[in-house]
Amino acid sequence: MDETELRSRVSALLQEHPPESTERLDFLHARFDAGLAWVHFPEGLGGLGLPRGRQPIVEKAFYQAGAPDNDPRRIGIGLGMAAPTILAFGTEEQKQRYLRPLWCGEEVWCQLFSEPGAGSDLAGLSSRAMLDGDTWIVNGQKVWTSSAHIADRAIMIARTDPDQPKHAGLSYFILDMHDPGVEVRPLRQITGEAEFNEVFLTDARIPDSDRLGEVGEGWKVANATLSNERVAIGGGAFPREFGMVMNVAETWRTRPELRTPETHERLLRGWIDTEVARITATRLRQKLAAGVPGPEGSAMKLSFARINQQLSALEVDLLADDGLRYESWEMRRPTRVDFFGKDAGYRYLRAKGNSIEGGTSEVLRNVVSERILGLPTEHRVDKDVPWKDLPR
Amino acid sequence: MTLTPPAEVDLLADDVETDLRASVRKVLDKHAPPDRLNGLYDGTDDVSGPLWSAFVELGLPGLLVPESLGGAGASAREAGAVLEEIGRAAAPSPYLTSSVVATTVLVALGDETILPSLASGEQTAALLVRPTARQHGAAALTTVGLPADVLLLPEGDALYAVRGATVTPVGSLDMTRPLATVDLDGAERMLVAEDASAAIDAGLLMGAGLLAAEQVGVARWALETTIGYLKERRQFGRVVGGFQALKHRLADLYAEVEQADAAARYAAATLATGDADAPIAVAVAAAFCSEAAVHAAEEAIQLHGGIGMTWEHPAHLHLKRAKADALLLGSAEAHRAALAVLVDLPAPS
């Protein structure tokens, strides 16, 4: 299908379902059924089997026509992580059942991977799923779950065979977050708010038909999910002077009385680092578009974490007296991360998480040095030992 | 003041660039292998002459000269690829000074008398500038064995071509690009242009932007050589590259070098198309790549351990080149100061 045909398909949909006189959800359903939700997905599942690069054409056309969207930031985990995993490993029934309400935003998804005892060592997790007839009974605790308090479904990994070494004993499930065995509690963080949750699983029930991939294949399926996360983090398009440097530059320009030689040097270094990150991300996108595999994704995240931390610290220092303000420590539960419209102190504190979430900078340095540079891997004494025999 | 928008440019190498890079590397491997470069410090230079002849044979001196004057009419992207390879080898060559800086000045002035001999490589030229200044001064950049045939002397707004000056090499921190003092007494001078200030700025901008590519080459050599060594060197019964303290330093260095590469490519691409963003792109690349190259070369010395401190190992050649490059045509600090003006982040008054 060429670009013209794709555009006429969009026009046809807009004629049949004029946005101004169509209910939002009806419109989204129709868009999904016309294959115009995510064009790189297969036909019948919201797509047309086209290259991913065609998606912006569709998005732009609907945006210009004033059509409602599916509020992608609210359902980011579903779109970015659950959907590609279901597409890659789901049965036909699972794809038919889950993808449409996921894309239309009728069902919000969250991700139940990390545990209090399994952060960097995710494969060592201990949440246990035991088969009872054709139902899995799950017990354990998950942590750092964004959107859990508004989620309807979760992608989850749990241990199904403790006698196997840690990577081999895991399975991957789709969990109904409304199950009575699921309890969600806010996890308050150093900013005062609770962006994330703890999820307690007590005899939560999952039908075997909601297992994704084979029993014992959970690690393989989880890696597919995580690689999608890395693409999402590394491959963005950024304008000049984006992110943390924006606020600092604005303050610098509007409040000359705050300027000092040392903050000037830090600002210029931060501006340059941000611009170089922009160029590097642009090149990464060009490589992906040209089909050249770009290993820079993990390295990009390392850089972003450092830049965010340095610039948010600079902002507090530059503001001097005003840098000490913190408007409110009230416990809030935001549904999306928003760095801006808050005090500099908030950004300083929140940015500390950037080198921890989605892979700590220390783990990422292992990933870069082992997988890209080919240096020897860390000693893994626990790799071939049955999980139940590992010291804990 | 509104911020200049970034240019939309291709940051990937095309086939022409890849082929060019391979030919240049082959020539450098043959004529400037690391074990011959120490001679530059010991007063025996059997590298510069044959290397320049090989460059001439490949047509490299004329890359930035229009075809009508005997050049190749290529762009800053190709010249950047050549310089990256020169940096990787830490090779002595008048390429930057003659084929990039002096050539760009003369092209901007529409010169037709000197350029043909620079394009063919029969002669080399050097702009008379203080090495660290972005403005003109009193010393020249030359290469041992190859004193520039023509010196371009800025005086006020005018530019003169000087021949027959007394050029005295001085001992330099980096003997792969040594400095010289110039005595103009009795030299013959010829007016090239009454008002050459814009052309000189263009030459220095091109020089600083493409020096960043050379710095990427220096940094890549340091990174790759260090990784190679740490995969072989054994202590405590294991390959030392397996120690996390070293792995993590190399992971950070890898990220830095990749970013330097992207920044230098962006600068070369904006210079190639004459994009309005070139001054910002050059300031960013020059400031970032200067420090990345020095950092990479310093890491190479430290992570090689004792062997890195020896005269025998080539790491010292790259450290000296990186340190000298970091001051050449403006320090990182000077480029940050230039950027501050370009992006409206003025210094405290």
Side-chain angles (χ1 to χ4, degrees):
Chain A
M1 182 179 293
D2 65 18
E3 208 178 305
T4 320
E5 281 176 84
L6 186 59
R7 282 182 195 285
S8 61
R9 213 175 160 99
V10 172
S11 307
L13 181 77
L14 286 165
Q15 265 184 359
E16 272 175 60
H17 305 271
E20 53 283 2
S21 58
T22 310
E23 283 293 318
R24 176 175 179 272
L25 203 51
D26 292 340
F27 184 87
L28 294 174
H29 284 158
R31 182 176 158 185
F32 186 93
D33 296 338
L36 296 169
W38 32 34
V39 296
H40 56 288
F41 271 51
E43 287 189 48
L45 295 171
L48 296 166
L50 297 177
R52 192 189 281 259
R54 296 280 173 81
Q55 185 69 18
I57 300 170
V58 175
E59 296 296 341
K60 203 173 162 194
F62 281 123
Y63 176 78
Q64 283 171 345
D69 68 13
N70 57 350
D71 196 0
R73 288 184 62 189
R74 181 169 170 269
I75 56 173
I77 293 163
L79 293 174
M81 301 178 82
T85 312
I86 292 169
L87 183 66
F89 290 95
T91 62
E92 201 47 42
E93 291 72 32
Q94 288 169 335
K95 293 178 199 170
Q96 293 294 345
R97 162 66 187 84
Y98 290 119
L99 291 176
R100 192 172 185 253
L102 181 159
W103 187 85
C104 296
E106 292 162 275
E107 290 181 348
V108 175
W109 288 68
C110 66
Q111 184 222 61
L112 298 175
F113 280 15
S114 296
E115 297 183 2
S120 293
D121 184 14
L122 182 61
L125 60 82
S126 56
S127 282
R128 184 82 167 88
M130 297 173 78
L131 194 59
D132 177 16
D134 60 358
T135 301
W136 293 90
I137 311 293
V138 190
N139 284 282
Q141 183 188 344
K142 296 289 182 176
V143 74
W144 296 115
T145 316
S146 40
S147 304
H149 56 299
I150 57 164
D152 304 287
R153 305 272 160 197
I155 42 176
M156 180 187 75
I157 29 180
R159 188 155 306 280
T160 44
D161 189 351
D163 295 328
Q164 294 283 340
K166 62 179 185 178
H167 291 94
L170 301 171
S171 301
Y172 197 113
F173 299 98
I174 295 170
L175 171 71
D176 179 357
M177 289 296 285
H178 302 297
D179 186 278
V182 177
E183 187 198 346
V184 177
R185 295 185 205 159
L187 178 60
R188 199 171 184 191
Q189 67 216 50
I190 62 175
T191 54
E193 60 182 27
E195 232 176 273
F196 302 95
N197 299 278
E198 295 179 288
V199 177
F200 295 82
L201 305 164
T202 312
D203 291 337
R205 300 170 70 82
I206 302 176
D208 190 44
S209 58
D210 277 344
R211 174 169 42 77
L212 213 51
E214 297 303 317
V215 174
E217 262 192 7
W219 187 248
K220 184 171 121 189
V221 183
N223 268 318
T225 306
L226 294 172
S227 70
N228 280 302
E229 183 180 33
R230 276 180 218 126
V231 169
I233 290 173
F238 304 102
R240 172 159 284 166
E241 207 174 89
F242 74 100
M244 290 289 184
V245 79
M246 216 160 56
N247 285 54
V248 198
E250 175 68 16
T251 302
W252 188 270
R253 289 178 186 128
T254 53
R255 300 189 56 186
E257 78 281 6
L258 297 174
R259 298 171 186 167
T260 66
E262 189 194 295
T263 50
H264 193 227
E265 184 185 341
R266 288 166 69 191
L267 170 58
L268 291 172
R269 285 182 179 276
W271 200 97
I272 289 170
D273 286 351
T274 305
E275 170 67 4
V276 172
R278 181 192 72 76
I279 299 167
T280 310
T282 305
R283 188 180 58 165
L284 177 58
R285 242 187 16 264
Q286 291 180 356
K287 278 190 180 180
L288 290 174
V292 187
E296 294 97 327
S298 302
M300 286 293 323
K301 186 180 176 290
L302 277 175
S303 307
F304 282 136
R306 183 179 46 81
I307 292 170
N308 283 352
Q309 291 174 353
Q310 288 175 350
L311 281 166
S312 58
L314 169 61
E315 192 185 5
V316 173
D317 294 342
L318 176 63
L319 284 166
D321 293 348
D322 288 337
L324 296 174
R325 292 180 189 278
Y326 203 94
E327 192 189 340
S328 165
W329 291 105
E330 183 199 344
M331 212 286 268
R332 278 173 289 206
R333 300 184 89 182
T335 53
R336 58 191 63 162
V337 191
D338 192 358
F339 270 80
F340 302 103
K342 292 176 179 149
D343 287 311
Y346 172 86
R347 284 183 280 284
Y348 171 70
L349 295 171
R350 181 59 185 83
K352 292 289 166 246
N354 292 164
S355 53
I356 301 170
E357 58 202 337
T360 66
S361 290
E362 288 69 27
V363 164
L364 288 177
R365 287 187 184 101
N366 279 354
V367 170
V368 170
S369 56
E370 292 172 13
R371 296 194 203 158
I372 301 177
L373 307 183
L375 291 166
T377 54
E378 291 300 303
H379 283 277
R380 297 205 169 112
V381 289
D382 58 348
K383 214 174 80 186
D384 302 313
V385 181
W387 179 82
K388 65 176 169 44
D389 298 333
L390 292 176
R392 249 182 297 283
Chain B
M1 171 171 169
T2 50
L3 217 53
T4 311
E8 288 192 23
V9 289
D10 189 350
L11 297 168
L12 307 181
D14 60 15
D15 293 345
V16 176
E17 188 196 312
T18 307
D19 291 348
L20 174 66
R21 193 178 281 279
S23 334
V24 176
R25 190 175 294 192
K26 211 167 135 191
V27 159
L28 285 161
D29 285 346
K30 182 172 171 198
H31 294 286
D35 58 354
R36 302 231 316 257
L37 296 181
N38 275 352
L40 296 166
Y41 288 84
D42 292 330
T44 52
D45 173 14
D46 59 353
V47 175
S48 308
L51 180 61
W52 186 247
S53 303
F55 271 25
V56 168
E57 215 164 290
L58 283 179
L60 303 183
L63 279 184
L64 293 178
V65 178
E67 286 175 88
S68 58
L69 296 175
S75 78
R77 297 175 68 115
E78 289 76 31
V82 174
L83 277 167
E84 190 182 327
E85 292 304 318
I86 291 174
R88 171 186 283 276
S93 175
Y95 192 78
L96 178 74
T97 47
S98 180
S99 311
V100 174
V101 178
T103 294
T104 303
V105 173
L106 293 171
V107 168
L109 291 171
D111 165 85
E112 292 185 358
T113 54
I114 304 170
L115 274 175
S117 68
L118 299 189
S120 67
E122 284 162 59
Q123 295 202 320
T124 60
L127 181 67
L128 277 170
V129 288
R130 288 165 57 88
T132 59
R134 303 193 66 198
Q135 295 300 317
H136 32 79
L141 305 166
T142 68
T143 300
V144 168
L146 290 170
D149 303 290
V150 185
L151 296 171
L152 299 177
L153 169 71
E155 242 179 34
D157 287 339
L159 185 72
Y160 295 89
V162 176
R163 291 170 202 268
T166 310
V167 176
T168 315
V170 298
S172 306
L173 176 69
D174 168 28
M175 287 301 287
T176 65
R177 183 183 281 129
L179 306 174
T181 53
V182 176
D183 185 353
L184 297 171
D185 266 0
E188 159 206 345
R189 63 167 72 183
M190 186 188 77
L191 182 70
V192 180
E194 293 278 4
D195 184 1
S197 52
I200 291 170
D201 286 348
L204 293 173
L205 186 72
M206 183 70 89
L210 296 190
L211 177 59
E214 174 173 310
Q215 291 165 328
V216 169
V218 174
R220 273 211 185 282
W221 180 90
L223 174 69
E224 288 169 14
T225 306
T226 307
I227 292 169
Y229 181 67
L230 295 197
K231 284 179 181 172
E232 286 173 5
R233 171 74 174 171
R234 287 181 168 271
Q235 292 283 275
F236 305 102
R238 40 192 287 218
V239 168
V240 297
F243 288 106
Q244 207 170 50
L246 308 189
K247 283 164 72 173
H248 283 193
R249 282 170 78 156
L250 285 176
D252 284 335
L253 191 60
Y254 162 80
E256 191 178 348
V257 173
E258 282 297 319
Q259 292 179 320
D261 187 321
R265 278 186 171 279
Y266 180 71
T270 57
L271 288 165
T273 54
D275 193 276
D277 200 36
I280 291 178
V282 169
V284 166
F288 193 91
C289 298
S290 286
E291 295 188 349
V294 171
H295 183 218
E298 289 179 348
E299 288 290 82
I301 300 279
Q302 173 65 23
L303 299 181
H304 273 79
I307 189 76
M309 270 307 279
T310 64
W311 193 252
E312 175 194 351
H313 195 280
H316 76 99
L317 299 166
H318 290 78
L319 176 67
K320 292 162 187 169
R321 181 73 166 242
K323 195 63 187 167
D325 276 0
L327 293 172
L328 196 66
L329 300 174
S331 64
E333 184 187 359
H335 287 290
R336 282 193 292 270
L339 181 72
V341 176
L342 293 169
V343 301
D344 187 28
L345 296 170
S349 43

